[in-house]
Amino acid sequence: MYDPTVARLTYRALLGRRRAAIMFVLPVLLVAIAVAVRAFAGADDQVAADVLGGFAIATMVPLIGVIAGTGAIGPEIDDGSIVYLLSKPVKRPTIIFTKLIVSIAVTMVFSALPTLIAGLILNGNGQQIAVAYTVAALVASIAYSSLFLLLGTVSRHAVVFGLVYALVWEALFGSLVPGARTLSVQQWSLAVAEKIGGTGVITSDVGLPTATILLVAVTVGATWYAGQKLRTLKLAGEE
């Protein structure tokens, strides 16, 4: 289910100079904010939770997920180079699964690691806040990568749709409409963080059992459907 050649090509596409530079900005900004907040406010558990929840989980992780998830396959479909992969004796689910693994790895490195560093700077992992949000970033990276990889497979406007989901649905509707929070990767990952962090510091509108089921369902469902759409893409190219 994992092809080294596909992985190498995907890593090269995602870690190209321009795309890597964009992904590098957000982690640097998070760490800079953490340093500034710690310098002016000192070590405060609630402030640390607010910064990590409000910027790392709500903004940085989904945006990096959009870049990595859609970038893992979208550009290849747009410029037609995906035909090269489809012409090789590699199963379509293997291509999707390999690209998903690469996307998850890149998203985790650019989001979970900076979250941990920022958390340690903010309050030295008091009440397990740094670890809790790091785990939330890891969990969210998996779901976002699968979701945005699917968008990259089915639409030429995947980045736009990804940004709409991340910034409009989760950030705007998620804060205004209680029911929308149930369909939010952010809230699902916060449910995991809530279980790890100190009591009352981290909260989620979704229970952990529900969040776990939805995380697994979205990851598996999106990955499977992306594989099916890639099969259809080959047939369309032949026609």
Side-chain angles (χ1 to χ4, degrees):
M1 292 296 293
Y2 182 86
D3 187 274
T5 301
V6 175
R8 185 174 64 255
L9 293 173
T10 306
Y11 274 118
R12 185 179 303 171
L14 289 180
L15 299 179
R17 183 177 302 176
R18 182 179 178 183
R19 197 175 297 273
I22 295 174
M23 288 191 291
F24 189 70
V25 170
L26 290 171
V28 170
L29 181 58
L30 172 63
V31 174
I33 291 173
V35 171
V37 170
R38 178 61 185 267
F40 287 103
D44 185 285
D45 294 343
Q46 190 57 56
V47 171
D50 291 341
V51 172
L52 295 179
F55 185 82
I57 301 300
T59 302
M60 184 183 71
V61 180
L63 288 181
I64 291 176
V66 170
I67 297 171
T70 60
I73 196 170
E76 291 178 307
I77 293 178
D78 291 341
D79 62 21
S81 60
I82 189 67
V83 175
Y84 170 79
L85 284 180
L86 297 179
S87 66
K88 300 299 179 181
V90 182
K91 295 181 180 179
R92 306 305 170 256
T94 298
I95 294 175
I96 290 296
F97 184 76
T98 302
K99 287 182 174 295
L100 175 63
I101 294 299
V102 173
S103 175
I104 290 173
V106 170
T107 305
M108 285 181 173
V109 169
F110 281 89
S111 61
L113 183 58
T115 299
L116 177 61
I117 294 173
L120 294 175
I121 292 172
L122 285 165
N123 76 333
N125 196 36
Q127 296 201 59
Q128 294 293 308
I129 290 176
V131 171
Y133 278 107
T134 299
V135 173
L138 292 172
V139 170
S141 295
I142 298 173
Y144 281 130
S145 294
S146 59
L147 183 60
F148 296 137
L149 178 64
L150 172 61
L151 285 178
T153 306
V154 302
S155 173
R156 292 182 178 272
H157 306 289
V159 174
V160 175
F161 290 133
L163 291 175
V164 168
Y165 174 80
L167 300 180
V168 177
W169 177 265
E170 291 205 340
L172 182 60
F173 283 95
S175 62
L176 298 177
V177 184
R181 298 169 188 163
T182 305
L183 300 178
S184 168
V185 175
Q186 176 186 337
Q187 292 298 322
W188 303 343
S189 62
L190 285 177
V192 179
E194 183 180 15
K195 185 69 175 179
I196 300 172
T199 304
V201 179
I202 305 172
T203 60
S204 172
D205 293 312
V206 182
L208 183 58
T210 302
T212 302
I213 293 172
L214 291 172
L215 283 167
V216 172
V218 166
T219 301
V220 174
T223 304
W224 174 84
Y225 192 61
Q228 297 306 305
K229 294 302 292 184
L230 200 59
R231 294 174 186 271
T232 304
L233 182 67
K234 177 185 177 180
L235 294 175
E238 290 177 345
E239 292 175 359

